[in-house]
Amino acid sequence: MIKIKISNLIDGHHDFQFNGNVTDLELSEPFCDKYELVVALDKIARQIIVTAKGDVDAVFECDRCGAETRKKIPLEFQVAYLSDVPAENEKETNVVYITPETEYIDLSSEIFDFAQLAIPMKRLCSEDCKGLCIVCGANLNEKDCGCDRTKVEQGNLPFSNLKNLINKN
């Protein structure tokens, strides 16, 4: 949990730094080990703007070659906390309404949401990953297998059985 005490906090700019284990934030796979987060909090009258930047460790399988890869996933978000009463049917993104009596802001839910959104759609071990050979299935990042990939027979591919499985469903 990441909580910031806002009761009795004077107006102005405040900086906070957090680090710990991802389990403290209730993050699970692909996240692992540690996170680091720097939070800038700007408070005026009835609003608090929180800007957070940091990263979280993650382990995933490369989409091209299948190798296990460890990366730091960047986290960056901004949330406004307002002590006004929301208008009816008003739903704004990145705005949280709080009461004037609120003592703490808990950033855990925002960190969880933005961490999930930060997971890359294409998970690669490196930008220049060569993937697997379509003939023999060798990892082309480790060695060139020497297969002639220009003259591949359609029925002789190691992944051709996957097409049959898709067609069954």
Side-chain angles (χ1 to χ4, degrees):
M1 259 187 171
I2 294 183
K3 284 187 173 184
I4 299 173
K5 185 172 180 175
I6 59 168
S7 63
N8 301 326
L9 191 66
I10 61 172
D11 287 356
H13 182 82
H14 307 275
D15 291 316
F16 301 91
Q17 192 162 7
F18 300 95
N19 54 44
N21 198 305
V22 296
T23 55
D24 301 340
L25 303 174
E26 298 181 13
L27 291 172
S28 58
E29 288 184 25
F31 302 106
C32 65
D33 295 336
K34 304 198 179 299
Y35 73 89
E36 291 183 10
L37 195 66
V38 175
V39 176
L41 185 144
D42 292 300
K43 181 179 183 203
I44 56 169
R46 295 183 314 222
Q47 75 176 14
I48 297 172
I49 306 296
V50 173
T51 304
K53 291 182 183 182
D55 54 54
V56 61
D57 293 336
V59 173
F60 49 85
E61 193 174 278
C62 178
D63 288 339
R64 288 185 189 157
C65 69
E68 189 173 278
T69 304
R70 178 183 210 84
K71 295 229 178 192
K72 287 198 176 288
I73 305 292
L75 287 178
E76 191 170 339
F77 62 91
Q78 188 172 50
V79 179
Y81 292 87
L82 305 177
S83 61
D84 293 333
V85 177
E88 244 180 81
N89 298 327
E90 184 176 324
K91 267 198 152 180
E92 293 187 42
T93 308
N94 300 350
V95 174
V96 177
Y97 291 95
I98 57 176
T99 65
E101 295 81 30
T102 301
E103 288 191 43
Y104 292 92
I105 291 177
D106 185 359
L107 296 176
S108 301
S109 132
E110 283 80 11
I111 293 169
F112 180 88
D113 292 345
F114 284 99
Q116 298 298 325
L117 291 171
I119 297 172
M121 294 290 283
K122 188 179 237 180
R123 301 170 190 175
L124 300 176
C125 58
S126 68
E127 288 300 317
D128 60 340
C129 177
K130 297 175 185 172
L132 302 176
C133 173
I134 61 171
V135 177
C136 69
N139 186 338
L140 297 174
N141 296 312
E142 296 171 1
K143 65 176 180 168
D144 187 10
C145 58
C147 293
D148 184 6
R149 291 182 279 283
T150 59
K151 298 179 182 177
V152 176
E153 293 179 30
Q154 220 30 7
N156 199 17
L157 296 174
F159 302 113
S160 63
N161 290 337
L162 291 177
K163 187 175 184 181
N164 297 335
L165 289 174
I166 292 171
N167 291 335
K168 282 183 184 178
N169 293 333

